[in-house]
Amino acid sequence: MSTIKITSIVLAIAVAAILPTLWPNPYYIHLMVVIGIYAILLLGLDIVVGYVGEVSLGHAALFGIGAYTAGVLNFQLGVPFLLAVPVSIAVTGLFGAILALPALRVNGPYLAMVTLAFGTIIQILINEMTFLTNGPLGLSVRKPIWFSHQVTGTDYYYIVLLSLVLALLVVQRILKSHLGRAFEALHDSPIASDCMGVSVYAYKVYAFVLSAGLAGLAGSLFTYSEEYISPNSYNFELTILFLLAVIMGGRKSRTGPILGAIIVVMLPNVLSDIDLFRKISTGIAVVAIAYSAYMISVRLRSFKQVTIPVLVTGALAVSGYVMDNITDQRLTIFGVMILFVVYYLPNGIMGFLRSIVMKVRPQWVHRHTVILEQGDKQHIWSVPDHPVTAQGYLLEARNIVMQFGGLKALNEVNLAIAKNTVHGLIGPNGSGKSTMMNVLTGIYKPTSGEIQFNGKIITGTTPSSIAGEGIARTFQNVQLFGEMTAIENVLVGLHHTFRHSLIDVVFHTPRCLKEKHAAEIRAASLLQFVGLSDLANDEARNLPYGKQRLLEIARALALNPSLLLLDEPAAGLTAPDIKELIVMINKIRGHGISVILIEHHMDVVMSICDTVTVLDFGQKIAEGNPATVQSNEKVIEAYLGGSAKAE
Ligand code: ADP
Ligand code: MG
């Protein structure tokens, strides 16, 4: 971490620590406590919303579960604070797992609906289970008494501050580890995650459990802060407020949730105090005008693009001076602000600030420069290599049928891949080549037939376990993790090399640091192998198409596969790049990795394949060495002749 970052974090904590002395008003101290509690919850919600990319409408309910677990434990059983809080975290984490179960089947809006139903059910249960929760009457608890000292509001502020700092540290470490990368990866491309051995389902559940644990911590802290809880506090409105806070603050950041919490807690206050509203809205308008003027002067924005934001922020500021009283317009102003943020700052306030930093100081985000220099050939291939002299078949697919409705995309296809060879799979468009790859990697379960890999039957197992067995692949339509940098993409491929646990991640144990360092060096070496070292810190979605294909190969090699499936790797590559690719594939074979190559560039196929299989309308029509296949009548008719005619 840079010294600037560390200094600002220490400063922020110091300021937070002296705030109660500067501002000893119990009302404000209570507001800051609520901000701290919400920030803890939002850090967790950001894991689900920002990283995994699912909308959860169940977080108010999780917050309620945390609050009620602590409340019931304290009220009914007299369990002390220091035990009630961890138990609440565990219980809420468990509910997080239950909430994540539907994620096995549904995602997107459907999962959002399920989480909404979960929220409603929990609220009803809290209301109805009177024997535990006291129903609508609610529960009263007292702040703890420690060493015959009654914890006061100010003491409690420090307890919450400490909890927030610890939560921030834990979440930061998790999200910067291989776990955080897994969460991000499954958001960007679930299919590619699975094929890199990162089980989408397992990590979704993981993310929900972590997120719920934080909601549990926040909920239990809330119980002791309010000293009274009732079912109505954990309603739909609160859930929406939490989501808004994450979106406004900015997803995928640690400061975003804190900012979001400040906004949603302070906004009702700002919107009830006309003087405060005038000051803040004027401030925002000045920033908006200055920023727009700057953007126009450097020609990054046109007059037209900045008109509306300037007008809206200006109008808000002016409206503050026109109105004598703000209470009646509160909801309208709130609505305008939400629309404004969602439309103009889709990545929230932190996302906006980050984009400015990126323009001024891009080197701040180049975290891997040192490691990149250490990448070399030695680290590309895992030690020991796969035995180069091996005999026999690595993979055998027998009588594969893949039916989509009435269409047999594959019809009784047999495919045997000898060890240490490059096996070409060719055929006209729509002949079933990509379908074959999807069947081999477990994305499709074949209608009938059997696949044996390394002596094991793999038919019917999941893509992530097939990846774990040693089959890696690229995709015909590139499936990178777009929001992650090139090197991070490769690091996802190296996920299997991380054996350390959550505890190691949180405490940065030597084991964790060692594995991390080794993986980063290997990732750098793999990037060097495909010639992408210079682009290591660029986001994958910003790379040229041809480079994206090469990055996919590096990521697939990271899996340390014994079989590599390449689906049209030369598509979109320039002629010199294709030459490089041929050299690369030969090198890959040289290290004992077998390759299945789907390719339309005949020169590539003919120059490197040991065996070629030809598919047409889902059926195998020819197989043999490239020269024999090329002169086969049926092949010329179906494929080569077809394309010759087309030309
Ligand atoms: P190729 O890669 O050889 O160009 P594909 O394997 O992509 O061909 O497709 C083979 C046939 O299977 C095509 O007719 C395609 O429309 C069909 N197909 C592939 N995937 C699906 C699917 N998920 N659902 C329905 N039809 C599919
Ligand atoms: Mg295809």
Side-chain angles (χ1 to χ4, degrees), residues 323-339:
M323 293 184 291
D324 317 318
N325 181 328
I326 194 171
T327 17
D328 298 340
Q329 266 67 43
R330 276 169 64 160
L331 279 179
T332 321
I333 294 175
F334 191 45
V336 170
M337 289 173 83
I338 292 169
L339 276 179

Side-chain angles (χ1 to χ4, degrees), residues 176-196:
K176 292 294 160 202
S177 74
H178 62 294
L179 304 170
R181 271 198 302 271
F183 298 152
E184 253 185 293
L186 67 92
H187 168 219
D188 283 0
S189 169
I191 289 192
S193 298
D194 260 334
C195 290
M196 289 296 115

Side-chain angles (χ1 to χ4, degrees), residues 343-374:
Y343 193 77
Y344 284 101
L345 306 175
N347 292 320
I349 297 170
M350 280 319 293
F352 171 67
L353 295 179
R354 202 183 296 150
S355 69
I356 296 180
V357 172
M358 288 271 281
K359 271 182 209 126
V360 187
R361 287 256 160 139
Q363 69 270 29
W364 277 6
V365 286
H366 284 190
R367 292 182 290 117
H368 290 102
T369 322
V370 183
I371 296 291
L372 284 172
E373 285 157 10
Q374 295 178 29

